[in-house]
Amino acid sequence: MTRHLNKDTTLCMSLAARPSNFGTRFHNFLYDALELDYLYKAFTTTDLAGAISGVRALGVRGCAISMPFKEQVIPLVDELDASAKAIHSVNTIVNTGGYLKAYNTDYIAIATLLRQYKVDSGLTFVLRGSGGMAKAVACALRDAGFTRGRIIDRDPAKAGRLADLYGFEAGSDSAGLQPQLLINATPLGMAGGGDEQTLAYREEEIADADIIFDVVALPETPPLINAARTLKKTVITGSEVFAIQAVEQFALYTGVRPSEELFRQAAAWSRQ
């Protein structure tokens, strides 16, 4: 079907410091396939409060929230779903008649991927980062049964608070730990920020690990994933996280859950 935009078309959007085409392509593909009168558009902002006020005032149905707004947006919504309240981080807002309810579908995506890849909870891990995505990762690791791990960040105080929250160690690096699972939940390696070529972990750390998990989705293969694949490591990518969390957002916005086949087609299209 060829969709024609009109006054009744429902708008959904995303807010990110570095917008990408992933969400736009994913959601609009599904709107077309399911003949839904919706449109999805990506935005950035230097005025988060103004942007969220616009979501409310203009009747924008759904708004995806990406770094660095996942915690900053909390005071601007009316209600936190249990998924967002548990980790004090938001990646999805649903607007119902001007009432904004916030969710976190990142947690669902990360927990799903840990199961799909059969990641052994007995592995020792290092998680780099302490922001909203790192919270989702740490919570999913704890809930999956991981007990031996360290959270590291350039701000040791933030790493310590996150580690205390979920019962892990905190530190400035992985010294003395010999982690088998390395996770990057920072913008290191992300396109558009001046650190596109930065490895989140040293090459020797990557070589000694078994599994590399990078939540960076833009580019599809950031430096950490490229390095890990060169060394024949098992990798879990940010584009996989994105696709799973996006289908959960799609269902919240539209009330429709696409088939597994449509999901795979949309995910493949979004990566092109």
Side-chain angles (χ1 to χ4, degrees):
M1 180 189 79
T2 300
R3 290 189 299 131
H4 299 282
L5 301 183
N6 59 79
K7 65 181 179 62
D8 296 317
T9 299
T10 299
L11 177 63
C12 292
M13 59 179 280
S14 63
L15 282 174
R18 306 177 198 176
S20 77
N21 286 322
F22 282 108
T24 302
R25 294 171 69 86
F26 183 91
H27 287 271
N28 286 320
F29 178 96
L30 290 174
Y31 299 155
D32 283 338
L34 294 166
E35 300 186 1
L36 299 174
D37 190 13
Y38 279 68
L39 175 70
Y40 192 99
K41 178 74 170 67
F43 295 92
T44 189
T45 185
T46 56
D47 180 3
L48 182 62
I52 298 303
S53 179
V55 168
R56 190 191 304 273
L58 296 175
V60 176
R61 170 59 176 166
C63 181
I65 303 294
S66 295
M67 292 187 285
F69 306 127
K70 294 186 177 190
E71 295 165 297
Q72 297 172 29
V73 78
I74 289 174
L76 305 175
V77 302
D78 299 307
E79 181 183 353
L80 295 180
D81 176 74
S83 60
K85 189 180 295 183
I87 59 178
H88 201 68
S89 176
V90 166
N91 81 326
T92 303
I93 297 172
V94 177
N95 179 6
T96 304
Y99 186 86
L100 305 185
K101 185 171 181 178
Y103 301 78
N104 193 300
T105 64
D106 288 330
Y107 171 90
I108 295 170
I110 293 156
T112 298
L113 287 165
L114 290 173
R115 290 194 301 270
Q116 285 183 354
Y117 280 87
K118 297 181 172 59
V119 182
D120 184 357
S121 61
L123 296 181
T124 300
F125 73 86
V126 168
L127 166 61
R128 181 179 293 279
S130 60
M133 180 60 85
K135 284 183 178 180
V137 174
C139 186
L141 288 167
R142 182 202 62 186
D143 291 352
F146 286 80
T147 58
R148 296 187 298 147
R150 182 179 299 167
I151 297 171
I152 63 176
D153 192 83
R154 58 187 175 185
D155 185 334
K158 285 185 177 180
R161 286 193 293 271
L162 183 56
D164 288 344
L165 188 60
Y166 294 108
F168 299 123
E169 296 179 17
S172 58
D173 56 37
S174 63
L177 198 61
Q178 296 182 319
Q180 299 143 301
L181 169 63
L182 298 177
I183 310 163
N184 175 42
T186 76
L188 292 176
M190 184 182 292
D195 48 21
E196 293 93 330
Q197 301 307 313
T198 304
L199 279 174
Y201 292 95
R202 299 189 309 274
E203 289 185 2
E204 54 268 32
E205 292 176 303
I206 300 168
D208 289 341
D210 299 317
I211 303 172
I212 310 298
F213 189 171
D214 193 348
V215 303
V216 168
L218 181 69
E220 184 181 349
T221 54
L224 180 59
I225 294 298
N226 285 331
R229 283 178 171 158
T230 298
L231 293 168
K232 310 297 185 188
K233 303 298 179 179
T234 296
V235 300
I236 307 173
T237 68
S239 61
E240 293 173 282
V241 175
F242 169 80
I244 295 171
Q245 67 83 23
V247 81
E248 296 297 326
Q249 288 179 332
F250 184 90
L252 286 168
Y253 298 158
T254 67
V256 177
R257 183 168 293 276
S259 67
E260 187 65 28
E261 177 58 26
L262 262 184
F263 165 72
R264 285 195 295 268
Q265 291 175 14
W269 175 249
S270 71
R271 296 183 185 116
Q272 292 182 9

